[in-house]
C-alpha cells in the first residue's frame, strides 16, 4: 500500500519536468481528486481481502474443533503454520518453555488425564513408577531382616521375661516368697540361656533384702560390675549390698563375742560383762576388727587368690547398732533375763531400724503375745511387708493360748493347718499345749506327735513332745525323744526334767519364766 | 523448629529411612506421581517423598496409613526386644562381659521407627479434606475412620515438632510393663 502511495500520489516527484501555470493548476486539481479516489479504492480492496481471509480462517478453525472435540489444548504440531509463525514472532522464547515437559524438557507437557500437568505422558508414567535406588532397597531389606531377627531374639528371651515379670508382679503385691521363687526360676532361665539380666538380679537382691536373706544379697552383688553400682539405676542395690554386708559383719563380730557362752547354762553366763562387750561393739571400728581377723587368717594361708578387680567391695562405717541390739536380746534370752528386758531390746531394734521388720517383728510379736500385749499392729506391719508371711497367724494363736482361750486357739490352729500354714508343726505344738493345760494329756501327746511327724522337728518341739509323753505316761516315747536330743548334741530341757522330778507343775512351766518349754 | 525436626530425623535415621521407603512403596502401589524421590533431604521433606497432590480419598488414606502401619509393626517388634532386654532385664553386657551392642541397636532402631510413624502434615491435611470436606464422604465412613485419622493427624503435628522422639522413648520404657500384663498368662496358656 505504501508503494502504491508513493507511486500514485503523496509526495511530489522533485525530478518531474515543470509545466505552464494555468494548465498546470487545473491539471494539478484533477490529479489530486483522481489520486484520492484511487487511494480510497485501494483501501477498500485491502480491507475486503483481509476480511475474507479472517472469515475463511474462522471457518477452518470451527471445522477443526468439530472434528476433535475432546482435545482441549492442541499440540504444537497441530497448530497451523501461519499461526505458529505469528506466535513465534510475538513471543518465541516463553511459549516454548511453558509447553515443554518439566522433567525431560523435550516433549510437550500435559497428559490425557491431566492436560495441566507439567509433565509429558512418558515422564508422567515414569514418575508414577518412580524407580527404587538399589542401595535403598538393599538397606530396607537389611532393616527388615533385622526386624525378623529381633522377633527371634524376643522369642529367645520370652521365658526369662515371663519369669521376671511374674516375680515383679508378685513382689509388687508383697507376695515375697512366691516372688523369690519366680526370681530363682528367672535366674535359672538366664543361666541356661546365657543372659546376664543385671536388673533382674537387682530386683531379686532387693526382694531378698526385704526378707532378711543377707548372705544371698551379697552373693548377687557379683552379678553386677562394681562401677555400675555407682550409677543411679543401681543405687538401691548398692545400698542393699552395703547394708547387707554391714549386718553380716555385725553378726560375725557379735557371734565371736557370744560363742564362748552359747553352751553355758543361763546361770554361768556373765551377763553384764558380755552385754558390755556387745555395747562396745556399737562404737567399734569394723576395719580394725576385720584387719585383726584377716591377720589371723593370712597366717594360716600359704597362698592367696588374686583379687577380682571388678568385684564390688561393700562400704559401711561402723557396725549396725540394731543388729548389735539383736545379739543383746539373744544374750538376754539365753541368760533367762525377764521378758520385759527382752522386750526392751527388741523395741530398741524397732526404733533403730523400723523398716527392717525381718529383724524384730517376729520376736516382738511373740514377746507381746506371751505378755498379753496387743499384737495386731505388729501383725499388720508384717503382712504389709510380706502378705505371704504365716507368722502373724501363729502369733495370734499364741496370744489366744496365753490368754487362756484354748478352744479359740485350737480352732484357729486347725484352720491354719488346713490352709497349709508353713508353721504347721508349731501349730500342732500349740494345740498340744492347749490340751496339756486343759489336762487332756493323751490328746496333747497325740497332737504334738503329729506335729513331730510333719516336718524336721525343732528342739523346742522335741522337748514339748518329751513333756507331753511324760504327762501321758508314754515312757517309750519320752525315751525316744530324749535319745533324739542327746544324739543331736542337746540336753533335755530343765523344765521337762523338773516336771519329771516333780519339782515343777505344768501350770508353772507356762505361767512363769519364759512361759514355754525352752 | 525446622532444626529440631531435622535433628530428630537424623538421630532416628533408620526409622526416617524406612518411613520414606514405605512411603515410596505406597506411592508406587497407588501410582501416585513422585516429584522427588530423595529420602534424606535436609529440609522439612526429610523422611518423606514429594508427590503430587492426591485427589482420591482411598489413595490419600493409603499414603498416610500404610507407611504408618509398616513402621509401627517394625518399631513395635524392635522396641519390644530392645526395651525388654535393655530396660527391663538389664542385659547391658554379654555373658562374655563385653557391651551387648545388638540390644542397644534393637532399642535405637525400634525407637527410630516409632518416632517416624506419621505422615507429613500436608498429607494429613489432604486426607482430612478428602474425608471430612463438604460432601466428601458419608457419616459412617467419617465415624469409622475417625480414630485412625485422629492418630495420624495429631501424630503428624507431633512429628513436625520432633516430639515423637519423646513419646516413643516413653513408650519404649513402658512397653515391657505393658507386655508384662498379658504375656505371662499367654505364655503359661501356650505352655
Amino acid at each position: 500500500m505504501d508503494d502504491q502511495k508513493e507511486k500514485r500520489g503523496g509526495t511530489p516527484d522533485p525530478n518531474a519536468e515543470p509545466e505552464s501555470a494555468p494548465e498546470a493548476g487545473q491539471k494539478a486539481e484533477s490529479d489530486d481528486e483522481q489520486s484520492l479516489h484511487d487511494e480510497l479504492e485501494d483501501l477498500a480492496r485491502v480491507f475486503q481481502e483481509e476480511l475474507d481471509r479472517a472469515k475463511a480462517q474462522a471457518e477452518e478453525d470451527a471445522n477443526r474443533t468439530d472434528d476433535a472435540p475432546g482435545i482441549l489444548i492442541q499440540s504444537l504440531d497441530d497448530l497451523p503454520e501461519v499461526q505458529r509463525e505469528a506466535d513465534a514472532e510475538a513471543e518465541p522464547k516463553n511459549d516454548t518453555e511453558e509447553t515443554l515437559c518439566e522433567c525431560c524438557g523435550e516433549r510437550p507437557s500435559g497428559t490425557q488425564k491431566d492436560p495441566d500437568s507439567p509433565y509429558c505422558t512418558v515422564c508422567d508414567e515414569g514418575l508414577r513408577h518412580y524407580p527404587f535406588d538399589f542401595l535403598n532397597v538393599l538397606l530396607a531389606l537389611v532393616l527388615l531382616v533385622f526386624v525378623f531377627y529381633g522377633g527371634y531374639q524376643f522369642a529367645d528371651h520370652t521365658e526369662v521375661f515371663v519369669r521376671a515379670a511374674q516375680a515383679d508382679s508378685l513382689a509388687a503385691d508383697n507376695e515375697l516368697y512366691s516372688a523369690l521363687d519366680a526370681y530363682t526360676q528367672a535366674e535359672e532361665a538366664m543361666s541356661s540361656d546365657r543372659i546376664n539380666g543385671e536388673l533382674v538380679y537387682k530386683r531379686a537382691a532387693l526382694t531378698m533384702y526385704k526378707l532378711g536373706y543377707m548372705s544371698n544379697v551379697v552373693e548377687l552383688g557379683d552379678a553386677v560390675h562394681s562401677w555400675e553400682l555407682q550409677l543411679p539405676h543401681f543405687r538401691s542395690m548398692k545400698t542393699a549390698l552395703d547394708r547387707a554386708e554391714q549386718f553380716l559383719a555385725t553378726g560375725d563380730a557379735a557371734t565371736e563375742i557370744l560363742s564362748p557362752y552359747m553352751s553355758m547354762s543361763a546361770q554361768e553366763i556373765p551377763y553384764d560383762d558380755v552385754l558390755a562387750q556387745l555395747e562396745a561393739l556399737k562404737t567399734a571400728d569394723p576395719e580394725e576388727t576385720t584387719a585383726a581377723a584377716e591377720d589371723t587368717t593370712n597366717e594360716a594361708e600359704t597362698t592367696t587368690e588374686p583379687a577380682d578387680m571388678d568385684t564390688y567391695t561393700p562400704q559401711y562405717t561402723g557396725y549396725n547398732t540394731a543388729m548389735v541390739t539383736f545379739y543383746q536380746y539373744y544374750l538376754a534370752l539365753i541368760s533367762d533375763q525377764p521378758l520385759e528386758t527382752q522386750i526392751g531390746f527388741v523395741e530398741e531394734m524397732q526404733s533403730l531400724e523400723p523398716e527392717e521388720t525381718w529383724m524384730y517383728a517376729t520376736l516382738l510379736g511373740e514377746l507381746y503375745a506371751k505378755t498379753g500385749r496387743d499384737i495386731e499392729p505388729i501383725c499388720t506391719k508384717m503382712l504389709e511387708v510380706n502378705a505371704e508371711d504365716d507368722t502373724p497367724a501363729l502369733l495370734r494363736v499364741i496370744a489366744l493360748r496365753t490368754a487362756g482361750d484354748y478352744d479359740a486357739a485350737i480352732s484357729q490352729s486347725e484352720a491354719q493347718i488346713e490352709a497349709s500354714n508353713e508353721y504347721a508343726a508349731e501349730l500342732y505344738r500349740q494345740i498340744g499345749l492347749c490340751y496339756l493345760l486343759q489336762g487332756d494329756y493323751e490328746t496333747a501327746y497325740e497332737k504334738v506327735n503329729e506335729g513331730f511327724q510333719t516336718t524336721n522337728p525343732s528342739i523346742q518341739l522335741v522337748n514339748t513332745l518329751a513333756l507331753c509323753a511324760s504327762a501321758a505316761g508314754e515312757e517309750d516315747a519320752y525315751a525316744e525323744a530324749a535319745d533324739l536330743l542327746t544324739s543331736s548334741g542337746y540336753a533335755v530341757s530343765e523344765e521337762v526334767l523338773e516336771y519329771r522330778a516333780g519339782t515343777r507343775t505344768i501350770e508353772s512351766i507356762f505361767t512363769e519364766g519364759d512361759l514355754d518349754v525352752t | 523448629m525446622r532444626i529440631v525436626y531435622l535433628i530428630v530425623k537424623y538421630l532416628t535415621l533408620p526409622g526416617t529411612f524406612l518411613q520414606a521407603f514405605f512411603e515410596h512403596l505406597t506411592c508406587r502401589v497407588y501410582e501416585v506421581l513422585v516429584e522427588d524421590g530423595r529420602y534424606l533431604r535436609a529440609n522439612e521433606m526429610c523422611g518423606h517423598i514429594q508427590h503430587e497432590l492426591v485427589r482420591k480419598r482411598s489413595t490419600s488414606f493409603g499414603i498416610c496409613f500404610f507407611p504408618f502401619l509398616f513402621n509401627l509393626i517394625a518399631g513395635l517388634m524392635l522396641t519390644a526386644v530392645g526395651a525388654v532386654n535393655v530396660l527391663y532385664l538389664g542385659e547391658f553386657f554379654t555373658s562374655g562381659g563385653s557391651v551387648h551392642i545388638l540390644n542397644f541397636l534393637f532399642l535405637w532402631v525400634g525407637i527410630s521407627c516409632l518416632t517416624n510413624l506419621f505422615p507429613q502434615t500436608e498429607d494429613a491435611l489432604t486426607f482430612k479434606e478428602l474425608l471430612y470436606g463438604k460432601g466428601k464422604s458419608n457419616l459412617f465412613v467419617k465415624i469409622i475412620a475417625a480414630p485412625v485419622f485422629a492418630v495420624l493427624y495429631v501424630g503428624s503435628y507431633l512429628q513436625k515438632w520432633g516430639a515423637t522422639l519423646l513419646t516413643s522413648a516413653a513408650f519404649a520404657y513402658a512397653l515391657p510393663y505393658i507386655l508384662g500384663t498379658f504375656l505371662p498368662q499367654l505364655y503359661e496358656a501356650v505352655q
Side-chain angles (χ1 to χ4, degrees), chain A residues 124 127-132 136 149-151 157 159 161 163 165-166 168 194 196-199 203 227-228, chain B residues 17 24-25 28 31 33-34 37 39 52 77 85 87-93 95 102 106 176 187-188:
Chain A
D124 185 276
L127 291 172
R128 284 181 195 285
H129 298 88
Y130 200 94
F132 285 103
N136 287 347
Y149 183 65
H157 283 63
E159 193 189 348
F161 171 67
R163 299 292 170 228
Q166 283 173 336
D168 288 343
R194 296 171 63 81
N196 185 26
E198 292 181 351
L199 292 176
R203 293 194 286 267
W227 59 267
E228 279 184 285
Chain B
F17 168 79
H24 186 176
L25 193 66
R28 272 198 72 142
E31 296 192 347
L33 190 143
V34 173
Y39 295 173
E52 66 172 345
M77 181 56 75
N85 291 1
L87 302 177
Y88 193 76
L89 299 178
E91 195 184 9
F92 310 123
F93 301 93
S95 51
L102 195 64
F106 280 134
Y187 182 81
E188 295 295 341

Side-chain angles (χ1 to χ4, degrees), chain A residues 87-88 90-100:
Chain A
D87 290 345
E91 288 180 350
K93 202 172 180 181
N94 289 341
D95 195 34
T96 310
E97 277 185 357
E98 276 176 10
T99 52
L100 288 178

Side-chain angles (χ1 to χ4, degrees), chain B residues 106-135:
Chain B
F106 280 134
L107 189 62
W108 175 53
V109 179
I111 289 177
S112 296
C113 288
L114 293 181
T115 305
N116 295 282
L117 287 179
F118 302 104
Q120 210 189 342
T121 324
E122 284 74 11
D123 286 342
L125 287 169
T126 306
F127 182 45
K128 182 190 175 189
E129 174 57 30
L130 292 172
L131 187 66
Y132 293 104
K134 202 174 181 181

Side-chain angles (χ1 to χ4, degrees), chain B residues 10 32 47 60 74 79 133:
Chain B
Y10 286 121
V32 174
S60 178
T79 307

Side-chain angles (χ1 to χ4, degrees), chain A residues 73-87:
Chain A
I73 293 180
Q74 292 170 316
S75 68
L76 287 172
D77 295 331
D78 294 334
L79 287 172
E81 196 66 28
V82 178
Q83 183 68 35
R84 285 180 67 181
E85 281 175 6
D87 290 345

Side-chain angles (χ1 to χ4, degrees), chain A residues 153 156-157 159-160 185-198 201 223, chain B residues 85 89-100 103:
Chain A
Q153 279 286 309
D156 198 39
H157 283 63
E159 193 189 348
V160 175
Q185 286 180 353
E187 282 171 33
E188 283 169 4
M190 285 197 296
S191 179
S192 63
D193 292 345
R194 296 171 63 81
I195 295 168
N196 185 26
E198 292 181 351
Y201 289 123
Chain B
N85 291 1
L89 299 178
E91 195 184 9
F92 310 123
F93 301 93
T94 61
S95 51
S98 54
V99 177
H100 208 309
N103 279 344

